[in-house]
Amino acid sequence: MNKNQKIILFGGIGAIVCLVALVIVLIISNAKRTEQVNAAREETENLRLANDRLLLTNEFNQLNADFNQYEDQQIYLKNDSLVQKYNEARLKVEGLLTELNQEKKSNAANRKRIKELESEIATLKGIVKHYLEEIKRLGEENEGLRKEIKQVTQRNQQLSSQVTQATSKNEELTQTVKLAKKLNITGLSLHAYNKKGKAEKNITKARQLGVSFIVSPNNTASPGMKDFYVRILSPEGALLSGGGSFQIDGSTVAATAHRQMEYANEELSVSVYWDVNTTLTPGDYTVEVFADGYRLASRHFTMKK
């Protein structure tokens, strides 16, 4: 083999070696690139799954917050079936989230859990939506009832006020009728008499006191026998007693003297006498006249010595 042939032979071998080396380099480079692409793809998938898990977790927490916000309004519901359904679905979602956070398997297994979570959270959304609609509906019904109760209460207050006014009016009319039936007297006087039955100016010598008055005509008053009671109070405020007692305003009151006379709705002159049974002193004497449960008159008289 001549020199040129050797050069060609070794040159060809060198070229083949270089070509093989290049192929090996290319194969190794491509394998690394493929590995990097797969790693990047897996990292991207992991990030996407992590993001999906975070979004689902946040969505679940928000649903819980929305539901718990109206927890104190469960009393509006006629039964707790919605609450029971929600709690059952919530427990299932919590279990799936726990499994997903602990999942060490392939991304395919993670994706399966995420799909299940999406389905369960969609169920939760429906329950929460129905729950809030039910609360809103019942709340509106209660508001309507409150307004109706308020209107009824106001109406009752108006009726009560009207009844009170009517009662007061009736009481006024009753009182007016009673007052109309009350006897009226005029000319009330107090006189002292000595032992001879003559008028006595010196009160200390009086043996009898006489109270006189005139009953005016009154067609509204009931005719018939009338008991006229007289009370005489001394200047010291003591009642000159001896005339029994009578009833007025539910109380028993002592009298100085009394006289029964027939009243025919015409003018009637009445005189009532009291025999002195104690020492009388000069001063102001108070005379009161009563009949039919009314005090007809009260006057003061100055009796001198």
Side-chain angles (χ1 to χ4, degrees), residues 190 203 209 231-241 256 274 276-288 299-303:
L190 173 65
I203 189 64
L209 295 180
R231 281 169 53 88
I232 304 176
L233 301 177
S234 70
E236 293 77 25
L239 175 70
L240 304 183
S241 60
T256 300
W274 175 75
V276 176
N277 56 19
T278 185
T279 302
L280 300 180
T281 59
D284 289 337
Y285 285 75
T286 301
V287 176
E288 297 176 320
R299 281 190 59 188
H300 300 287
F301 297 92
T302 302
M303 309 300 286

Side-chain angles (χ1 to χ4, degrees), residues 37-47 107:
V37 169
N38 289 337
R41 185 178 300 160
E42 184 176 357
E43 181 66 21
T44 300
E45 181 68 13
N46 288 336
L47 289 173
N107 284 335

Side-chain angles (χ1 to χ4, degrees), residues 36-71:
Q36 291 174 349
V37 169
N38 289 337
R41 185 178 300 160
E42 184 176 357
E43 181 66 21
T44 300
E45 181 68 13
N46 288 336
L47 289 173
R48 187 178 67 81
L49 291 174
N51 184 64
D52 289 343
R53 183 168 63 245
L54 180 61
L55 290 175
L56 289 173
T57 301
N58 290 338
E59 193 170 6
F60 172 67
N61 291 336
Q62 184 59 50
L63 283 172
N64 257 335
D66 291 343
F67 191 83
N68 293 333
Q69 180 181 356
Y70 295 92
E71 186 176 5

